Amino acid sequence: MNLKEIMKKAGIVGAGGAGFPSYAKLAEGADTLVVNGAECEPLLYTDYVLLHKEMPTVLAGIKAIAEELNVPRALLCVKDHTAKRLKLADGTKLAEKIWLKVLPDVYPMGDEISLIYEATGRVVKPGNLPITAGVVVFNVETLYNVALAVKYEQPVLDKWVTVAGDIAQPFVVKVPVGTPVCELFERNGIEVPEGYSVLDGGPSMGKVIDVERAVITKTTKGLLILPDLCEAVISKYINGETSIARAETACCQCTRCTDMCPRALLGYPLEPHKMVRTAKGAVSVLPEMVLSATLCCGCGLCETLACCQGISPKAVINEYKALLAKNKLRYVAKDDVTPLEEREYRMVPSERWANVLGVAKFDKLAKYIGEQKDFSKAEIYLRQHIGAPSVALVKDGDLVEKGDLIAESADGLSLPQYASVSGKVQVEENVKIIIEKVE
């Protein structure tokens, strides 16, 4: 069995992003493997803890991918503050053909396109995949999972998660995929006060969840308990239609949203200020400009830091993105682009970004508390990845053991799912498989 088949069989997805099936990234034409350990969002320490506790395993995963792609170099990319905590310097040779690349402490350095430029000096053509620039990118935890799959034939059963925010001591914990968030909180003495929300993900790009119903998925990177009045939470409730209506009357045409856009600074034809100015008429006035909405990385700098009028260019762009996705349209460039000279001076320091979001006071180094097991149940969603959902192989009342295959991959881009705990099965067709612990 080759590595691509091993990764697909193990159900490995991008552990820090949208859940793209990792096996599908193994394509010919790369000369550089970039490992994303930037962890650019404030309060998150999952990748740092993994590198601190499991560096040999991560390096084994990097080596497996590098050998499969036959690339001459792999760059493990971390921010400066992470490198200092790991006591590693830029350019350190970690293993054969694997070097450490130290990134500046700026946001959003974890954005794949920005990361590739900072690590290699290459700009991926707008709308193109990294492989077109000779680069393949994987997350730190993804490569940890690759190593386990190669050495032990172990599928993805567990997830490393940061729990942080307005709590006494942030921590990183390893739990079964599908663990109910409410049980995880209860076990660790965490209560969500009135007037607080919980985000799945970082304070910039995470989503508000219902603690009583949410579970840990393969892409859960962090769980943050934050006050509703901090900017990080306020931004999650911005309405796209309202933003478009406000944009038509409130925009002062300052262009700051475009001036600060990390993709625009790389030379991408993304101009949020023009989308805001034209608002409802943009589709008919400048259809090519609307198509460029698919180039937005969703970092939120435009709405939280740049705009002085309380408009959310990001929300406006998201409306366009939804329309384009519905019609299966996206921007794909044929020509190269050149980064702007002023990019270096417009990048946003991570500390400043944390202050803008109102979360800087909660940023404490997370403590690793180990692995936690024996939760009452696990809920395994059939769509934890981009592509077709998994197809259930079990039925109501079946008994399964941890590690059992419970759903197979569908045709096309898809992945299988495994029981992360032992117990009795209940199937919600096309949605999830619930496994309840049997006493």
Side-chain angles (χ1 to χ4, degrees), residues 288-303:
E288 185 72 9
M289 179 194 71
V290 172
L291 198 61
S292 71
T294 59
L295 303 177
C296 170
C297 68
C299 69
L301 283 175
C302 58
E303 72 177 7

Side-chain angles (χ1 to χ4, degrees), residues 171-204:
F171 60 89
V172 173
V173 62
K174 181 182 177 185
V175 295
V177 171
T179 296
V181 173
C182 59
E183 276 198 59
L184 176 62
F185 281 8
E186 182 179 1
R187 177 173 297 190
N188 292 282
I190 295 174
E191 295 183 3
V192 181
E194 188 74 25
Y196 278 65
S197 293
V198 177
L199 304 185
D200 181 328
S204 311

Side-chain angles (χ1 to χ4, degrees), residues 7 126 177 209 293 322 332 347:
M7 291 170 64
V177 171
I209 59 172
V332 180
M347 293 193 292

Side-chain angles (χ1 to χ4, degrees), residues 55 68 95 104 111 113 127 139 160 330 379 386 428:
M55 180 69 85
E68 176 71 18
D111 166 42
I113 304 303
N139 173 263
W160 296 64
R330 66 188 184 94
E379 297 184 11
I386 290 174
E428 288 190 19

Side-chain angles (χ1 to χ4, degrees), residues 264-293:
L265 289 171
L266 283 173
Y268 275 38
L270 179 60
E271 300 178 288
H273 72 281
K274 288 186 178 179
M275 296 186 189
V276 169
R277 288 178 185 177
T278 52
K280 291 181 180 178
V283 175
S284 57
V285 177
L286 294 168
E288 185 72 9
M289 179 194 71
V290 172
L291 198 61
S292 71

Side-chain angles (χ1 to χ4, degrees), residues 291 294 320-332:
L291 198 61
T294 59
Y320 296 147
K321 277 185 176 180
L323 178 64
L324 293 168
K326 183 178 179 181
N327 291 281
K328 298 181 179 180
L329 297 171
R330 66 188 184 94
Y331 187 103
V332 180

Side-chain angles (χ1 to χ4, degrees), residues 7 22 24-36 65 69 71 73-75 112 115-116 120 122 129-139 143:
M7 291 170 64
S22 300
K25 286 188 175 184
L26 297 181
E28 295 182 358
D31 60 31
T32 303
L33 168 60
V34 170
V35 182
N36 189 349
I65 296 290
L69 297 176
V71 297
R73 66 168 179 168
L75 302 174
E112 187 172 68
L115 173 67
I116 290 171
T120 69
R122 303 174 189 176
L129 296 174
I131 191 64
T132 61
V135 179
V136 175
V137 182
F138 287 96
N139 173 263
L143 292 166

Side-chain angles (χ1 to χ4, degrees), residues 278-407:
T278 52
K280 291 181 180 178
V283 175
S284 57
V285 177
L286 294 168
E288 185 72 9
M289 179 194 71
V290 172
L291 198 61
S292 71
T294 59
L295 303 177
C296 170
C297 68
C299 69
L301 283 175
C302 58
E303 72 177 7
T304 309
L305 178 64
C307 187
C308 61
Q309 297 293 340
I311 300 168
S312 173
K314 176 183 173 181
V316 174
I317 291 172
N318 283 344
E319 290 291 306
Y320 296 147
K321 277 185 176 180
L323 178 64
L324 293 168
K326 183 178 179 181
N327 291 281
K328 298 181 179 180
L329 297 171
R330 66 188 184 94
Y331 187 103
V332 180
K334 296 181 180 180
D335 299 324
D336 293 328
V337 294
T338 303
L340 277 61
E341 292 182 2
E342 54 266 36
R343 175 180 178 271
E344 180 182 353
Y345 309 105
R346 291 185 183 169
M347 293 193 292
V348 180
S350 299
E351 185 177 357
R352 182 185 178 194
W353 182 237
N355 276 292
V356 168
L357 292 172
V359 302
K361 59 186 175 182
F362 307 129
D363 196 1
K364 307 170 189 174
L365 182 61
K367 176 183 178 182
Y368 180 53
I369 62 172
E371 182 177 4
Q372 293 186 348
K373 306 177 182 179
D374 299 320
F375 293 93
S376 69
K377 64 178 180 178
E379 297 184 11
I380 312 298
Y381 278 83
L382 298 175
R383 190 188 288 277
Q384 294 187 64
H385 53 266
I386 290 174
S390 311
V391 180
L393 294 173
V394 292
K395 60 183 183 299
D396 288 355
D398 284 352
L399 295 176
V400 296
E401 295 293 325
K402 180 177 180 179
D404 285 352
L405 177 67
I406 57 174

